[in-house]
Structure formats: structure tokens, C-alpha cells
Amino acid sequence: QVQLVESGGGLVEPGGSLRLSCAASGSIFSIYTMGWYRQAPGNQRELVAGISSSGMTTYVDSVKGRFTISRDYAKNTVYLQMNSLKLEDTAVYYCNADRSPGVLGSAHSSWGQGTQVTVSS
């Protein structure tokens, strides 16, 4: 089982940028599919971006062109660079790690504790 610790959340004005980090430990980071989810009050948790063990990426339509997911194998860390932030990006962001190729959020996956992102003027 991998342990995940997120950081980098905060308060930012619309149009601003933030970079979230998720540090993994306790298992072989390189084999995991990694992803970022978010959950706003009253909403279901949604997948924002994912990256496979080989570096292939996927994004929800609402963040395409604004967010970039990446991973550093040497640092066992996955990042989410968020640019041109909008009010509707406000949510708690969670890191997820799944050993199943191409799968995220399964019952056997690992979750971080979450980090708050607030976009407000």
C-alpha cells in the first residue's frame, strides 16, 4: 500500500495559478496510475486528471488547456499545475494511486488527505 501526502493548496484569485504536489511512499511508485480528484461542497468527487505509469495523461473537459498533470519518478511525486483558475475550481483536491493499469479510484486504491483550493476575488 502506498501512502500519499498532498501539499500546495491555498487561496488564489481568479486567473491565478497553483501547483499541487503529492508525495508517495511505501511502495513502488513507478507502477502506479496516479490521479487528482476534487470534491466541492454538495458535489460528488470527480476525476480531474490522471497519469499512467508510462506517462500518458487524461483530463476532464473542464480543465483541458488549463491544468497539467506530471510525475517525477526520482522524487516519487505527482504534480498538478493549475493555471487560469476559475471560481468553479474551488474544491478539496485529493491524490489517488492505483496499482491497476489505467484504473483510478478503485476500492483497492490509496488516497491522500486532501488539500483545499479556494478561488476567490
Side-chain angles (χ1 to χ4, degrees):
Q1 195 81 355
V2 64
Q3 289 78 49
L4 305 172
V5 178
E6 301 112 331
S7 60
L11 174 65
V12 63
E13 293 185 346
S17 297
L18 283 175
R19 189 177 80 156
L20 305 183
S21 299
C22 173
S25 62
S27 190
I28 306 173
F29 172 75
S30 61
I31 68 173
Y32 282 80
T33 304
M34 303 294 297
W36 288 96
Y37 286 73
R38 67 185 177 187
Q39 188 168 20
N43 291 355
Q44 290 187 337
R45 190 173 296 189
E46 68 168 349
L47 176 62
V48 176
I51 185 165
S52 71
S53 57
S54 63
M56 294 182 62
T57 61
T58 185
Y59 300 92
V60 67
D61 285 346
S62 60
V63 307
K64 285 181 180 177
R66 300 189 298 121
F67 291 11
T68 302
I69 189 170
S70 61
R71 63 193 298 169
D72 185 328
Y73 295 93
K75 295 182 178 180
N76 286 356
T77 299
V78 63
Y79 303 98
L80 186 68
Q81 178 67 45
M82 306 185 293
N83 299 328
S84 302
L85 283 160
K86 303 177 180 180
L87 297 176
E88 53 264 38
D89 294 319
T90 296
V92 178
Y93 284 70
Y94 297 90
C95 182
N96 181 258
D98 203 306
R99 291 195 65 167
S100 301
V103 174
L104 280 168
S106 73
H108 302 291
S109 64
S110 298
W111 294 92
Q113 81 284 359
T115 185
Q116 177 70 47
V117 172
T118 302
V119 184
S120 175
S121 55

